[in-house]
Amino acid sequence: MDILSFALFGLLIVISPGADTILLFRNSARYGRRIGIITALGIGAGVGVHVTYSVIGISHLISQSVWLFSVIKYIGAGYLIYLGITSLFSSKRSLTTEKFVEDNNIHSNISVFRHFLQGFLCNTLNPKTMLFFLSIFTQIAAATTNNSLLMISYGGYLAILHALWFCLLACLVTSSAATLYLEKFGHRINQTCGVGLILFGTLLSATA
């Protein structure tokens, strides 16, 4: 693939729905735009981790180690299931009340760090994302002799693209038009997101 093909492929990967999308939607719907953007930045930072170990070759080592890959897979699956279960248990809480509480604690470093960490871990602990980066960077390395700079540049592009896309989603989810539906169907949204995260975690743990 040439550079343009890599760029378009990266865009398609970013906008395709997955666990990151469900988490972003849940946090934005429950806590508002700022928390959604913080979650999006965490997701982007998680991509940076994948880029880093792909460039230095650790991802290849992980993919060749069955037990290490299994540990990462089950940790990631367990984390998604945990997030899904917490969504289900809190699905009956008032969406408006949750936003009010979060707005009054919006400057809390703990609150900001918690949601940033959720986005970061959701992306970082996903072995499917790891294998995606391994395959992409393997192709880049094979396509050019000056692969280090190209891999870093493309990795930075993907990290920024993830952050921008999910920030845009956070803004769309918390727009004035969407807010009316969120306030009316907030508990159903929590339930749907919870089931989705549990499903992703279960499928992830069951795949080879």
Side-chain angles (χ1 to χ4, degrees), residues 62-196:
I62 295 174
S63 68
Q64 299 302 312
S65 176
V66 176
W67 71 269
L68 183 56
F69 182 79
S70 296
V71 169
I72 295 174
K73 179 178 73 172
Y74 289 122
I75 291 176
Y79 184 68
L80 292 179
I81 293 172
Y82 162 77
L83 290 176
I85 291 174
T86 57
S87 290
L88 291 179
F89 274 107
S90 62
S91 63
K92 293 183 179 180
R93 294 168 60 183
S94 169
L95 187 65
T96 306
T97 302
E98 288 196 32
K99 284 187 178 181
F100 175 79
V101 171
E102 194 67 26
D103 287 341
N104 280 274
N105 294 280
I106 202 65
H107 298 294
S108 169
N109 290 331
I110 296 177
S111 175
V112 169
F113 178 75
R114 176 164 63 91
H115 292 97
F116 180 89
L117 187 62
Q118 283 182 353
F120 178 80
L121 291 177
C122 185
N123 186 274
T124 304
L125 294 176
N126 191 340
K128 297 299 184 183
T129 305
M130 178 183 62
L131 291 179
F132 160 73
F133 275 93
L134 172 63
S135 62
I136 286 298
F137 284 118
T138 298
Q139 293 186 53
I140 293 177
T144 177
T145 56
N146 187 24
N147 55 70
S148 296
L149 180 60
L150 182 59
M151 286 192 292
I152 293 173
S153 300
Y154 187 67
Y157 161 76
L158 286 177
I160 294 173
L161 192 61
H162 272 80
L164 290 177
W165 169 250
F166 286 108
C167 282
L168 175 61
L169 282 185
C171 292
L172 292 176
V173 171
T174 55
S175 64
S176 56
T179 299
L180 296 176
Y181 292 97
L182 294 177
E183 291 178 348
K184 185 176 181 179
F185 302 107
H187 64 293
R188 296 299 182 190
I189 291 172
N190 277 339
Q191 290 175 337
T192 302
C193 289
V195 171

